[in-house]
Amino acid sequence: MGDRGTLPHAGDDPADCRLRLRLSPPFLLAEDNGACGGKNVSFTTICRRKTP
């Protein structure tokens, strides 16, 4: 794990898709660098696990 409970990404090109995931139970936080998926697509979100 990296700093603050994150897993660091590898790669030198800033144009590469980069996604940072952070587990903060019961939430999963996701943040991208804006280079993932094309126009108006973002993976920046907060997810919460639903109990069955």
Side-chain angles (χ1 to χ4, degrees):
M1 294 300 267
D3 63 332
R4 295 172 295 172
T6 62
L7 184 63
H9 54 77
D12 296 330
D13 189 352
D16 288 344
C17 174
R18 296 180 182 182
L19 184 64
R20 175 178 290 162
L21 299 174
R22 182 174 180 191
L23 184 58
S24 182
F27 302 104
L28 176 64
L29 309 159
E31 179 183 15
D32 72 11
N33 65 342
C36 304
K39 291 184 180 180
N40 299 322
V41 175
S42 175
F43 294 102
T44 301
T45 189
I46 299 173
C47 301
R48 182 174 180 180
R49 182 178 181 182
K50 291 177 75 175
T51 55

